[in-house]
Amino acid sequence: MAGHDHKPGHFRPGADDHPINQAIDTPGADDTLGADASPMLTGGTAPVRELLLALSVGFSLPSPLPDSLCGADGLGHPGGLDSIIAAAKDTGLLLPDGTVVGTARYALLKGTPTARIRALQRELVEKTLHEGQALGDLARELARSGLQDPHVVAELERSADEALESDPRLAAELYAEALMAGGDEVAKAARRAKATAATGDLDTAGRIVDRLLAVPEAPDLRLGVDVAAAVWAQRGMLARSADTYNWLGADRIDGSAPLAAVAMIGSGNPLGAEELLAAAPPSGSPTLLAVALSLTQQGLRQTLGPGPELALPELIRASDTMNAAGTSIPLPETPGALAALCALHSGEPAVADTVLKAALAAAQGGDAARPRLFLLRAWSSMQQDNADDARLAINEAVKANHWSLAPRDGFLLSALEVGLARRGSDAHELVLAWDRARETMMHVSVDLYSLLPWGELMITAARLRESRRVSHYLEGAWDLLAKLGNPSLWSVPLHWAAVQAALLSEDPAGLAPHAAALVRASERSHLASVLAAGGKAWVSVLASRFEASDVETAARGLAAVGMPWEGARLAGHAAAHADERREMVKLLACARDIHPQGSAPSAGVSERQVNARTAVPAHPVMDNGGGPGAPDSSGLSAREREVGRLILEGKTYREIGEAIYISPRTAEHHVARMRRRLGAENRSELLVRLRLALGEGHPPP
């Protein structure tokens, strides 16, 4: 083709539409484009016009031209073909590089009957293939121009098959163009659905595979089922994924048996997974992909057994092998995500983050999996008390591909927003995040791989006195765990969430069974033993019968298993209830050590705040160095502004102390100083002046 290098087998992603497509198939095209060139075209000889038309259609120089131009007499033109080319260049319509001037090309294509153009295109295809050349980009351009030809279809489908694993976005484009060229919609439907799903376009992939599964003796049926199962999983309905594999049956499951096991275990059917794996035909060659899938199901099954500590290394190896395979296949859950979930449930958020980084770098699972991997990284960061890193990962997840988040990922995002607001002690944002979470949870069902967000929502519901909103979902979670034999690895974090929810609800009867479950699991789970100690410490603090050393040990234990915020909150709450100043100082130091972000003032200011536990300072606490204690234009120091925001959220002195690790008396002194600085005569006037001083956006108490 003029101006294009049609290298065999070479395809350019997003190649420009061919001008034939614009000239023939564009309704309402501007006829004036051809008018500028029409005098020159009519002035030329018939052979010149024939040459220009052939080049406009896609022939090129010096490649063979149509038979009509390759005759011995060159259409009777004196001097043959060379003289025709020279004459065409003399008109100014044929450029030195062999391309036709744009306006002339448009006019020729617009003024030539479609049948004539199609005949020339088919002749071009035949001559290209006769020379042993692959059609390459030419096939894409001919398909886009509207030519329907089996050779073009075959070239596009072959190239799409080659690109399917390494570049699913290009493969999806090529399969679509093959359909435009007259391809069979069913023959490549499963592969087309796979490519589309890998880009994150779940709706289109679902529609393609729906039509395929309704066809008797459908080609590539197992691949179609893999796509359907992956789409159901991302829609937050993992049980439907398992049902799809059950429909396929063991006799046809072949290499998809590990994927079926992931879906069945995740939806609470471990026996079905074992039966399917036992009945499935032996796997084929031990490729990287086959080994990765085998390690995945083995590691996942180990999470349910008596030695769950062996599961995490197995799943990490599965993720590493999948990264090395460099392939993108439809998955109910990626090995990287499963390894990260196992690490998070084991109290190893830093390990989870490392696994997820590697999976993202290797593009594990394609574009469709990127949002979930980023969101799990955000969860790991949140659990490690790195709110800024968590928000950065959330931003990456939202822009990871061209499509909106799948329901499963949207639910995880909403739980993250709730968790960040709760840890940030932002009551106003927590209510807004909770409202969003209430909507997203209606789009998904409970499965094994969503227990962490359900635990976070359980705690928040208890804090907001809205436990009824999640009670039926949580009943489903406990039923799911019971079907799996209550495996400690998966159940311990949910029991811990239930303990915290019961403490917030002041429900001793509701707390007891979950505390007992943590104690029982302590025999085989280090995380359970740490959480059991943490729960015991919380109960003793709330009953005001605690030893500061026991609380500190429990708090530092929580920090050691990736829960620094929870540990600091326990120590800070205990400090607020301490009877002796020495114990209060010790617990506040522990809280600041575990959670440095929670203590904004400098060391000197902190010490004076501790002293305020027993005596009111004669002068306002200020930092003349312009540091965190320095006042701004409102006359309030950074710590006073922090206390002021919490006052506006309706918190008591004790709640303020727990939130920022100061004593209730110190919080009271801050409020007294703010009243003097702002000239407020009473509490109501202080609230009004605080809202003015802190600016818009702070909620009323």
Side-chain angles (χ1 to χ4, degrees):
M1 176 181 170
H4 295 280
D5 181 14
H6 298 302
K7 297 179 181 178
H10 176 66
F11 280 83
R12 292 177 291 115
D16 294 335
D17 283 346
H18 193 276
I20 297 174
N21 191 31
Q22 302 170 6
I24 297 175
D25 298 324
T26 304
D30 188 355
D31 291 336
T32 60
L33 288 174
D36 295 337
S38 57
M40 291 179 284
L41 289 172
T42 56
T45 63
V48 169
R49 289 196 297 273
E50 186 71 14
L51 173 64
L52 294 175
L53 176 62
L55 296 176
S56 298
V57 164
F59 286 90
S60 60
L61 296 172
S63 299
L65 294 169
D67 292 338
S68 58
L69 285 169
C70 293
D73 60 354
L75 290 178
H77 196 281
L81 182 57
D82 290 340
S83 65
I84 298 175
I85 295 172
K89 290 182 177 179
D90 289 342
T91 65
L93 301 179
L94 181 61
L95 300 176
D97 63 358
T99 60
V100 180
V101 172
T103 52
R105 181 170 58 220
Y106 183 90
L108 284 162
L109 296 173
K110 187 72 173 175
T112 303
T114 301
R116 172 65 176 146
I117 290 177
R118 298 298 181 228
L120 284 170
Q121 288 175 326
R122 291 190 179 91
E123 187 177 359
L124 173 60
V125 170
E126 292 173 0
K127 285 184 173 292
T128 301
L129 295 176
H130 181 71
E131 289 188 339
Q133 300 270 338
L135 295 176
D137 280 340
L138 178 61
R140 303 193 70 182
E141 294 165 354
L142 292 174
R144 291 173 178 178
S145 76
L147 176 67
Q148 296 201 340
D149 184 273
H151 298 299
V152 172
V153 171
E155 175 73 9
L156 291 170
E157 289 181 343
R158 180 190 63 79
S159 298
D161 290 344
E162 291 178 355
L164 184 56
E165 298 298 334
S166 59
D167 193 348
R169 188 175 300 280
L170 173 60
E173 293 175 3
L174 293 169
Y175 284 129
E177 289 162 0
L179 288 181
M180 293 166 57
D184 183 355
E185 185 174 1
V186 173
K188 296 289 183 178
R191 293 171 177 265
R192 189 157 48 95
K194 174 183 175 180
T196 306
T199 67
D201 186 359
L202 300 184
D203 290 343
T204 301
R207 287 192 292 268
I208 294 171
V209 82
D210 267 0
R211 291 191 289 270
L212 175 69
L213 298 185
V215 174
E217 303 299 325
D220 285 333
L221 178 62
R222 181 169 65 86
L223 176 58
V225 168
D226 286 341
V227 174
V231 170
W232 281 121
Q234 292 184 67
R235 291 195 181 285
M237 291 181 273
L238 191 63
R240 296 292 181 187
S241 301
D243 291 343
T244 306
Y245 282 117
N246 278 326
W247 173 82
L248 182 64
D251 57 327
R252 298 184 293 185
I253 196 77
D254 197 27
S256 295
L259 302 180
V262 171
M264 290 179 178
I265 291 173
S267 55
N269 184 12
L271 181 59
E274 294 291 343
E275 291 175 349
L276 188 62
L277 288 167
S283 58
S285 302
T287 62
L288 286 170
L289 175 60
V291 171
L293 296 180
S294 177
L295 290 171
T296 299
Q297 58 88 8
Q298 290 172 14
L300 187 56
R301 290 157 66 198
Q302 284 179 329
T303 66
L304 308 179
E309 67 279 357
L310 302 176
L312 181 55
E314 193 90 336
L315 289 170
I316 290 175
R317 288 191 290 270
S319 182
D320 291 343
T321 308
M322 181 66 80
N323 293 343
T327 184
S328 176
I329 66 170
L331 299 163
E333 190 71 282
T334 61
L338 289 171
L341 286 169
C342 183
L344 290 169
H345 279 264
S346 302
E348 299 277 6
V351 173
D353 194 58
T354 301
V355 172
L356 292 166
K357 282 181 182 177
L360 283 164
Q364 187 180 124
D367 288 349
R370 287 179 66 78
R372 184 159 178 81
L373 295 175
F374 273 119
L375 290 172
L376 288 173
R377 279 202 70 192
W379 197 281
S380 172
S381 296
M382 179 181 74
Q383 195 162 310
Q384 295 177 85
D385 204 22
N386 295 326
D388 290 341
D389 289 348
R391 291 188 177 92
L392 286 173
I394 287 173
N395 289 337
E396 292 295 331
V398 171
K399 65 182 184 181
N401 60 43
H402 297 299
W403 312 100
S404 300
L405 291 179
R408 175 180 67 178
D409 297 337
F411 170 68
L412 179 55
L413 171 59
S414 68
L416 274 164
E417 291 175 337
V418 166
L420 289 169
R422 183 170 71 89
R423 287 163 175 77
S425 300
D426 189 335
H428 180 60
E429 183 55 40
L430 180 60
V431 171
L432 295 177
W434 170 250
D435 287 341
R436 293 191 292 269
R438 281 180 50 201
E439 195 277 329
T440 61
M441 70 176 68
M442 298 179 189
H443 295 268
V444 300
S445 57
V446 175
D447 62 59
L448 188 64
Y449 315 131
S450 65
L451 294 182
L452 288 175
W454 283 116
E456 180 62 44
L457 295 178
M458 184 200 314
I459 298 169
T460 301
R463 175 175 172 178
L464 298 178
R465 301 295 187 264
E466 293 216 304
S467 295
R468 62 186 177 83
R469 302 282 191 185
V470 297
S471 58
H472 57 292
Y473 295 106
L474 294 172
E475 288 172 5
W478 298 121
D479 289 344
L480 172 71
L481 288 169
K483 291 177 183 176
L484 295 169
N486 291 308
S488 60
L489 184 139
W490 296 101
S491 59
V492 162
L494 196 64
H495 282 301
W496 171 245
V499 166
Q500 295 182 78
L503 290 171
L504 287 167
S505 301
E506 300 178 356
D507 179 15
L511 183 149
H514 300 292
L518 290 175
V519 172
R520 287 194 302 271
S522 298
E523 299 177 1
R524 53 190 183 279
S525 169
H526 172 67
L527 177 63
S529 65
V530 171
L531 297 181
K536 182 180 179 181
W538 264 114
V539 172
S540 66
V541 168
L542 293 178
S544 296
R545 295 192 301 271
F546 64 91
E547 293 291 335
S549 58
D550 293 341
V551 172
E552 181 178 3
T553 299
R556 294 191 182 278
L558 290 171
V561 294
M563 298 182 180
W565 183 82
E566 287 85 348
R569 180 167 170 264
L570 170 61
H573 194 86
H577 288 73
D579 293 328
E580 297 184 12
R581 180 178 180 279
R582 177 179 57 81
E583 291 184 344
M584 183 198 70
V585 172
K586 180 180 180 181
L587 290 168
L588 285 175
C590 173
R592 286 191 293 269
D593 185 31
I594 294 172
H595 179 69
Q597 303 93 302
S599 182
S602 64
V605 173
S606 298
E607 183 60 32
R608 285 194 291 270
Q609 289 170 337
V610 171
N611 292 337
R613 178 75 164 80
T614 54
V616 179
H619 303 286
V621 178
M622 295 180 63
D623 199 342
N624 295 327
D632 65 357
S633 58
S634 67
L636 302 178
S637 69
R639 177 59 100 186
E640 288 167 348
R641 293 196 300 274
E642 190 174 14
V643 172
R645 292 187 182 97
L646 295 173
I647 285 289
L648 290 176
E649 291 175 6
K651 293 189 182 298
T652 64
Y653 294 141
R654 173 163 289 174
E655 290 170 334
I656 292 171
E658 293 173 8
I660 57 177
Y661 313 127
I662 61 176
S663 69
R665 181 68 64 84
T666 300
E668 184 178 358
H669 294 332
H670 280 304
V671 173
R673 285 197 298 274
M674 287 190 289
R675 283 180 58 181
R676 291 196 298 271
R677 289 184 178 181
L678 297 176
E681 297 294 331
N682 52 48
R683 181 178 176 83
S684 297
E685 192 173 336
L686 172 64
L687 295 177
V688 172
R689 298 195 178 199
L690 273 176
R691 281 194 286 274
L692 292 173
L694 297 177
E696 297 297 328
H698 295 286

